[in-house]
Amino acid sequence: MKTLFIFGDESVTVYSASLEAKIAKRAQELTRSLAQLKDNPRVLNIRVIVPPEACPVCQAVAGTYTKETAPVLPSEGCSCPRGSEAFYQPMLSEIYP
């Protein structure tokens, strides 16, 4: 469950404890995934895939990046109801070994 509090021009999103745990676990998985992609010599670029219903913050990071410029996911400021569902997709230099 997500609750949005609005204070003047600022809003604060508060997630339930179970969703907070899920978001934290997902962040660890994405960090590990990005490190593996960067270490893989067959990966040329990294594509960030974002579902069409994602929040504007997540939509802004969708695209193709070099290994050096790939953004850290989940994006800071994400307001997706279930947490960020963005993920990395490798663009390979060779498909078969």
Side-chain angles (χ1 to χ4, degrees):
M1 172 182 216
K2 177 180 109 168
T3 306
L4 181 65
F5 296 100
I6 300 175
F7 303 101
D9 292 337
E10 295 183 33
S11 62
V12 177
T13 304
V14 179
Y15 295 99
S16 69
S18 62
L19 185 56
E20 284 287 341
K22 177 188 169 230
I23 291 170
K25 181 180 178 189
R26 177 100 171 108
Q28 290 174 342
E29 291 168 352
L30 288 166
T31 300
R32 190 171 37 253
S33 176
L34 181 59
Q36 289 173 344
L37 292 174
K38 286 182 174 183
D39 288 343
N40 188 332
R42 291 181 14 191
V43 174
L44 289 178
N45 293 310
I46 299 171
R47 188 177 289 147
V48 175
I49 306 297
V50 179
E53 66 276 1
C55 71
V57 172
C58 288
Q59 290 289 338
V61 299
T64 302
Y65 298 88
T66 65
K67 288 181 178 184
E68 295 78 26
T69 62
V72 174
L73 295 177
S75 301
E76 189 171 331
C78 168
S79 61
C80 294
R82 296 181 306 233
S84 177
E85 294 180 11
F87 61 94
Y88 299 112
Q89 184 178 64
M91 295 181 68
L92 303 176
S93 61
E94 80 180 42
I95 307 233
Y96 298 101

